[in-house]
């Protein structure tokens, strides 16, 4: 109160808001000049503007008669810029630097809180500013001087060479055609600094007419700075409360609020994070941390969060590696992104990072050179992938960044089993993409490699002999049992349909010899069930044949067979031809999508899976692979849906008979055989459909799906 009495109100001034020039008024800020000199005293020769960029250039005359002006320096600059000969294109026609160019730049993009005020007859008139431009000297004439200098040097060199050579030699010109530009390359080019500079330079200049301070046009335009209707409708916006009036004069900056990050990429606000849904919280945390034990994740989310819900959410955004959770590759590299180092697409980066994660499920250590050799990524990309989940050790390689979390693995075996199924599918995909030698993933992810032990060659031989002796009796019993099964195998249509048994690699040769000893039975049979017609042996028709030979506790073999049969039928309705290797991969993915405790988790052997395939109306196609093939035994077992109930069944059966005698076939042979068997009215669309269902094209030849070896 004392301050208010010491500073009484002397005068009240009415404030008016003028809008006539609200969208046209700019404030120009010139460089500092002596107080005795005003810009109105300096003649403005020309002015021009680029409206879209709001860029202005002004040319002002320089007072060459001023005693502070260095005439010799002005003549030297004009000579360097224009040369000795002056013409219409010369920058300085008087052969003297008698003018200077000023170029504008924006000081701020938000001018809503700035206004130009004009005080007249006890009234204050405000006009909002549309822009504020700072004018700085432009030294583009120096670039012209450098260009002239280079032209003179080039002309002198050309003159010397013309004196030495009487005639100009004929030079060979190589014509090159540019490659078609991809969409990603075009987007990178459009966003580049060079392209933006070129677009700005291409915008044409619009010439302006400068009016001085005392010019009649300036006087006329200056009247628009006054509110035209002091008591009219135009000032109704100012008839407001004091707080509203101040809010209109100083509105909050929308740009600052917009630019304020909600959650920075390197700093997470836990208060803001906990306002999000649980799934988003887990995704943001894993995307920033990349590798985290489950206990740390629970401590960050808070004690009130349900651990079961967190387990369900973490499996959607991360994979289990050595008991710790590592964020999935597609979370870090979205679909339309690319590498900042090499520009490779996100799909290649995800595949390479999956390979690194998979290697860490095998061992604590990974060698950078091996990753680069397999993934074919540049050194910077490989380093980024490794730094996400490992630390480098000198003379050792890259070690996984966190210790093995055995406590989590022991506490959550169902999650570990599901993650193992997922890694099995990823391994099969990586082996196919990178042509890797097959390696066995540990059956349990908690198997951490122990310390390296040196074993001599003699010790290895002794160990191998002891194992062979232990397995000899088992192999003999297994061979005898399979001989009995072969003798009881089904005969259909005068030809024996032989089921190729599932065996270990060490038993293949013995079983083939046993099968060759059996004569082919051509006696017809009758009264056989549908299961026998599909080649299912009678000895196994009633048995569940569970994993490891033990029926799963708590579930019947009937429910397991029913669930497995439904999966097989649904799979072959979508894909008519599958190798055993691909079928096992799809089955593992199917298991990973099932809830814990499902009946199929009881364990399904390869033999039971093949029996179910044959019982579902499929047949095994004995494709004659070449002797030097690199395909594994599971990849050489090809199964196809024989009858699906549609119009293309006959076409597919003819096609499958062709591939039972040929590993690869040309299209014209397939076309002629289909025409011969199914009639000449077979259309191209029908042939394309059956080829699309069962085959793939590679190198001009057609192969059954899954059998092509690149």
């Amino acid at each position: 109160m004392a301050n208010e009495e010491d500073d009484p109100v002397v005068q009240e001034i009415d404030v008016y808001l003028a809008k006539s020039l609200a969208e046209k008024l700019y404030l120009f800020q010139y460089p500092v000049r002596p107080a005795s000199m005003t810009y109105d005293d300096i003649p403005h020769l020309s002015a021009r503007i680029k409206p879209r960029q709001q860029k202005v250039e002004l040319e002002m005359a320089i007072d060459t008669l001023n005693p502070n002006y260095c005439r010799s320096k002005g003549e030297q600059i004009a000579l360097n810029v224009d040369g000795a000969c002056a013409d219409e294109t010369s920058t300085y026609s008087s052969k003297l630097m008698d003018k200077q160019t000023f170029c504008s730049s924006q000081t701020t993009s938000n001018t809503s809180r700035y206004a130009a005020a004009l005080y007249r007859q006890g009234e204050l008139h405000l006009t909002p500013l549309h822009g504020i431009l700072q004018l700085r000297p432009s030294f583009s004439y120096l670039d012209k001087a450098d260009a002239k200098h280079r032209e003179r040097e080039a002309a002198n060199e050309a003159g010397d060479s013309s004196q030495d050579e009487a005639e100009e030699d004929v030079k060979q010109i190589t014509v090159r055609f540019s490659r078609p530009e991809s969409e990603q390359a075009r987007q990178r080019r459009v966003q580049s600094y060079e392209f933006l500079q070129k677009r700005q330079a291409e915008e044409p200049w619009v010439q302006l007419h400068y009016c001085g301070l005392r010019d009649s046009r300036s006087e006329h335009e200056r009247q628009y700075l006054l509110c035209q209707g002091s008591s009219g409708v135009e000032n109704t916006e100012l008839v407001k409360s004091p707080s509203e009036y101040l809010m209109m004069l100083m509105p909050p900056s929308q740009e600052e609020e917009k630019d304020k990050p909600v959650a920075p990429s390197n700093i997470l606000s836990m208060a803001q994070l906990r306002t999000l849904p649980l799934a988003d919280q887990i995704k943001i945390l894993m995307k920033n941390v990349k590798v985290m034990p489950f206990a740390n994740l629970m401590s960050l989310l808070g004690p009130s969060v349900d651990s079961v819900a967190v387990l369900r959410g973490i499996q959607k955004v991360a994979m289990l590696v050595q008991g710790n959770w590592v964020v999935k590759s597609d979370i870090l590299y979205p679909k339309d992104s690319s590498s900042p180092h090499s520009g490779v697409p996100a799909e290649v980066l995800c595949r390479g990072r999956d390979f690194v994660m998979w290697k860490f499920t095998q061992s604590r250590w990974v060698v950078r050179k091996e990753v680069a050799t397999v993934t074919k990524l540049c050194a910077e990309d490989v380093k980024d992938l490794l730094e996400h989940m490992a630390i480098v050790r000198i003379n050792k390689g890259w070690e996984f960044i966190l210790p093995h979390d055995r406590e989590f693995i022991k506490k959550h075996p169902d999650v570990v089993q599901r993650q193992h199924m997922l890694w099995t599918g990823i391994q099969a995909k990586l082996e196919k993409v990178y042509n890797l030698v097959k390696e066995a993933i540990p059956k349990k992810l908690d198997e951490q490699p122990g310390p390296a032990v040196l074993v001599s060659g003699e010790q290895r031989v002794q160990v191998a002999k002891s194992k062979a002796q232990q397995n000899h009796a088992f192999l003999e019993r297994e061979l005898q049992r399979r001989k009995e099964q072969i003798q009881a195998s089904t005969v259909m249509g005068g030809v024996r349909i032989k089921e190729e048994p599932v065996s270990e690699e060490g038993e293949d040769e013995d079983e083939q010899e046993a099968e060759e000893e059996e004569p082919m039975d051509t006696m017809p049979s009758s009264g056989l069930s549908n299961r026998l017609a599909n080649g299912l042996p009678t000895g196994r028709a009633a048995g569940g044949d569970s994993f490891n030979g033990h029926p799963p506790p708590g579930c019947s073999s009937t429910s397991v067979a029913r669930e497995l049969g439904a999966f097989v039928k649904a799979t072959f309705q979508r894909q008519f031809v599958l190798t055993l290797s691909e079928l096992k991969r799809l089955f593992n993915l199917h298991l990973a999508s099932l809830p814990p405790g499902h009946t199929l988790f009881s364990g399904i052997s390869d033999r039971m899976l093949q029996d179910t395939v044959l019982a579902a109306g499929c047949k095994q196609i004995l494709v004659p692979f070449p002797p030097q093939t690199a395909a594994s035994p599971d990849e050489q077992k090809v199964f196809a849906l024989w009858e699906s109930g549609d119009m293309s069944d006959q076409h597919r059966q003819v096609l499958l008979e062709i591939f039972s005698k040929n590993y690869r076939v040309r299209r014209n042979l397939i076309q002629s055989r289909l025409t011969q068997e199914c009639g000449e009215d077979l259309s191209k669309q029908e042939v394309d459909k059956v080829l699309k269902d069962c085959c793939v094209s590679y190198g001009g030849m057609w192969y059954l799906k899954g059998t092509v070896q690149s």
Side-chain angles (χ1 to χ4, degrees):
M1 295 295 294
N3 294 336
E4 292 181 359
E5 292 176 358
D6 294 341
D7 189 15
V9 177
V10 178
Q11 183 183 2
E12 292 187 358
I13 301 174
D14 293 333
V15 180
Y16 297 93
L17 183 64
K19 293 185 176 181
S20 300
L21 299 178
E23 300 295 328
K24 305 174 184 177
L25 189 61
Y26 288 83
L27 175 64
F28 286 3
Q29 296 177 343
Y30 291 86
V32 178
R33 291 273 182 169
S36 59
M37 182 183 297
T38 63
Y39 281 96
D40 190 55
D41 299 331
I42 302 176
H44 289 67
L45 302 179
S46 65
R48 57 182 184 173
I49 185 174
K50 289 186 175 182
R52 185 168 56 85
Q53 303 176 37
Q54 294 186 359
K55 183 177 181 180
V56 177
E57 277 192 2
L58 297 179
E59 282 189 358
M60 297 184 179
I62 298 178
D63 185 7
T64 58
L65 301 178
N66 192 293
N68 295 324
Y69 181 80
C70 182
R71 191 174 185 86
S72 61
K73 191 66 175 177
E75 291 176 350
Q76 183 63 41
I77 292 175
L79 180 63
N80 293 339
V81 174
D82 298 328
C85 301
D87 52 15
E88 296 179 355
T89 61
S90 298
T91 304
Y92 304 111
S93 57
S94 62
K95 297 185 179 181
L96 189 68
M97 184 179 176
D98 55 356
K99 59 184 178 181
Q100 188 174 11
T101 302
F102 290 85
C103 187
S104 70
S105 62
Q106 285 190 1
T107 58
T108 178
S109 58
N110 183 17
T111 58
S112 59
R113 60 177 63 191
Y114 298 96
L118 182 62
Y119 182 74
R120 179 172 295 183
Q121 297 179 1
E123 298 175 348
L124 186 64
H125 297 261
L126 301 178
T127 302
L129 291 178
H130 189 63
I132 301 176
L133 303 177
Q134 285 185 347
L135 294 172
R136 297 184 175 90
S138 174
F139 301 99
S140 58
Y141 59 87
L142 297 178
D143 297 333
K144 294 182 180 179
D146 292 341
K148 289 282 186 181
H149 179 69
R150 287 193 293 268
E151 289 178 1
R152 286 194 292 268
E153 288 185 348
N156 293 334
E157 292 178 359
D160 295 340
S161 61
S162 62
Q163 293 176 3
D164 297 338
E165 300 178 3
E167 295 182 358
E168 184 179 359
D169 295 337
V170 178
K171 295 182 179 180
Q172 182 179 0
I173 299 176
T174 303
V175 180
R176 295 182 179 179
F177 297 93
S178 61
R179 296 179 180 177
E181 188 178 30
S182 64
E183 182 64 22
Q184 289 185 347
R186 190 190 70 82
Q187 291 180 359
R188 288 195 297 268
R189 180 177 59 82
V190 170
Q191 296 174 1
S192 64
Y193 175 78
E194 181 181 359
F195 181 81
L196 296 177
Q197 289 292 102
K198 183 179 178 182
R199 284 190 58 186
Q200 292 180 1
E202 289 176 351
E203 184 180 0
W205 288 99
V206 178
Q207 295 296 326
L208 303 176
H209 177 67
Y210 178 80
C211 300
L213 180 63
R214 299 177 183 83
D215 191 276
S216 59
R217 178 68 182 273
S218 298
E219 290 288 347
H220 175 73
E221 293 292 335
R222 198 176 296 120
Q223 296 300 318
Y224 289 110
L225 295 176
L226 300 174
C227 184
Q228 301 302 316
S230 301
S231 59
V233 182
E234 190 173 356
N235 288 286
T236 55
E237 295 186 16
L238 296 182
V239 185
K240 297 183 181 294
S241 64
S243 59
E244 293 176 340
Y245 170 64
L246 289 176
M247 184 64 68
M248 291 178 61
L249 288 180
M250 297 288 292
S253 176
Q254 297 180 357
E255 180 183 355
E256 294 177 0
E257 296 177 359
K258 181 179 179 181
D259 293 343
K260 183 178 179 181
V262 178
S265 58
N266 57 344
I267 300 175
L268 284 176
S269 171
M270 297 304 297
Q272 292 180 350
L273 183 68
R274 288 174 179 171
T275 61
L276 301 175
L278 180 60
D280 293 340
Q281 294 184 44
I282 297 173
K283 182 177 180 180
I284 292 174
L285 285 172
M286 291 305 304
K287 188 174 181 181
N288 282 270
V289 182
K290 297 181 178 62
V291 184
M292 188 187 304
F294 185 74
N296 291 13
L297 179 62
M298 289 299 300
S299 64
L300 289 173
L301 295 175
S304 61
V305 180
D306 183 17
S307 62
V308 178
V310 176
L311 270 177
R312 191 180 302 113
I314 190 66
Q315 295 182 67
K316 297 179 181 178
V317 297
M319 297 291 293
L320 193 66
V321 178
Q322 298 187 21
N324 301 282
W325 291 100
V326 183
V327 64
K328 288 184 177 180
S329 303
D330 54 357
I331 302 295
L332 290 181
Y333 303 111
K335 186 176 181 181
D336 297 329
S337 63
S338 59
S339 168
H341 304 293
S342 59
V344 299
E347 181 183 359
V348 179
L349 291 176
C350 290
R351 195 160 55 228
R353 189 172 182 274
D354 288 344
F355 175 75
V356 174
M357 293 168 62
W358 172 70
K359 290 295 290 183
F360 277 121
T361 64
Q362 309 286 301
S363 172
R364 288 284 302 172
W365 300 88
V366 167
V367 181
R368 177 175 173 175
K369 185 180 294 185
E370 179 189 0
V371 176
T373 303
V374 173
T375 61
K376 302 296 188 296
L377 294 173
C378 69
E380 291 81 2
D381 287 335
V382 174
K383 184 179 179 182
D384 283 352
L385 298 181
L386 290 171
E387 286 178 344
H388 289 169
M389 64 193 81
I391 52 177
V392 63
R393 304 293 187 189
I394 299 175
N395 297 330
K396 289 186 177 180
W398 291 77
E399 183 184 12
F400 193 69
I401 196 170
L402 294 178
H404 212 98
D405 192 352
R406 298 184 180 277
E407 183 179 353
F408 176 84
I409 293 176
K410 186 177 180 181
K411 190 175 180 180
H412 303 280
D414 54 338
V415 177
V416 174
Q417 185 180 10
R418 179 176 296 189
Q419 290 292 310
H420 172 66
M421 296 297 181
L422 289 175
W423 277 121
T424 304
I426 293 175
Q427 181 196 15
K429 182 179 179 182
L430 293 174
E431 288 174 348
K432 180 172 289 187
V433 172
Y434 291 133
N435 295 324
L436 301 177
V437 178
K438 295 208 176 271
E439 300 179 19
I441 293 182
K443 292 186 178 180
K444 295 184 179 179
L445 294 177
D446 59 346
E447 293 182 5
Q448 184 178 3
V453 179
L454 295 177
V455 181
S456 64
E458 184 177 355
Q459 290 176 336
R460 292 181 180 179
V461 172
Q462 293 296 334
V463 172
K465 286 182 177 180
S466 62
K467 288 184 178 179
Q469 291 174 358
Q470 293 174 2
N471 295 333
H472 180 71
F474 171 76
L475 294 176
E476 288 290 341
R477 291 194 302 270
E478 185 71 12
L479 179 60
Q480 184 63 30
R481 185 179 65 83
R482 294 189 180 183
K483 284 183 178 181
E484 295 175 357
Q485 291 177 356
I486 293 172
Q487 293 174 358
S489 60
T490 306
V491 177
M492 183 64 183
V495 179
R496 170 175 302 204
I497 302 176
K498 178 180 66 177
E499 180 195 8
E500 185 175 353
V502 181
S503 63
E504 301 294 335
E505 293 181 1
E507 302 170 20
D508 289 345
E509 295 180 358
D510 296 337
E511 291 174 358
Q512 289 175 3
E513 292 176 0
E515 290 170 358
E516 290 173 359
E517 292 174 1
E518 294 292 328
M520 179 175 287
D521 188 358
T522 58
M523 293 297 293
S525 64
S526 59
L528 296 175
S529 63
N530 290 333
R531 293 172 64 107
L532 294 178
N534 283 318
L536 188 64
T538 56
R540 283 182 281 162
D545 195 13
S546 63
F547 188 69
N548 292 329
H550 300 286
C555 63
S556 64
S557 59
T558 306
S559 61
V560 175
R562 183 171 61 253
E563 291 287 341
L564 184 60
F567 162 76
V568 169
K569 289 179 180 179
T571 303
F572 275 94
Q573 286 293 336
R574 295 191 303 268
Q575 305 182 38
F576 293 92
V577 177
L578 286 172
T579 62
L580 180 59
S581 174
E582 179 67 11
L583 182 62
K584 288 162 64 176
R585 186 185 72 83
L586 295 176
F587 182 64
N588 286 331
L589 293 177
H590 177 66
L591 285 180
S593 66
L594 297 177
H598 196 273
T599 56
L600 289 180
F601 280 111
S602 58
I604 305 298
S605 66
D606 291 356
R607 184 187 311 146
M608 184 176 182
L609 184 61
Q610 291 183 80
D611 291 346
T612 307
V613 170
L614 296 174
C618 302
K619 287 189 178 182
Q620 182 175 352
I621 310 302
L622 301 179
V623 179
F625 282 83
Q628 68 277 12
T629 181
S632 64
D634 285 350
E635 291 175 342
Q636 295 185 32
K637 295 177 182 178
V638 185
F639 296 92
L641 183 61
W642 196 252
E643 292 183 357
S644 63
D646 59 7
M647 301 296 294
S648 302
D649 281 347
Q650 183 183 3
H651 305 159
R652 276 194 296 270
Q653 293 170 8
V654 173
L655 183 66
L656 295 174
E657 289 178 0
I658 295 175
F659 279 101
S660 65
K661 301 177 181 178
N662 302 275
Y663 172 61
R664 56 183 181 180
V665 188
R666 293 192 178 276
R667 181 189 173 96
N668 55 2
L669 177 61
I670 298 174
Q671 181 89 34
S672 60
R673 182 69 179 276
L674 286 173
T675 303
Q676 179 182 353
E677 296 290 337
C678 305
E680 298 182 356
D681 56 345
L682 193 65
S683 64
K684 181 179 180 298
Q685 288 76 12
E686 292 175 326
V687 177
D688 292 340
K689 181 182 183 305
V690 71
L691 287 175
K692 182 180 178 182
D693 290 343
C694 305
C695 304
V696 291
S697 177
Y698 183 78
M701 304 293 288
W702 287 88
Y703 302 77
L704 277 185
K705 287 184 177 180
T707 63
V708 60
Q709 301 294 318
S710 57

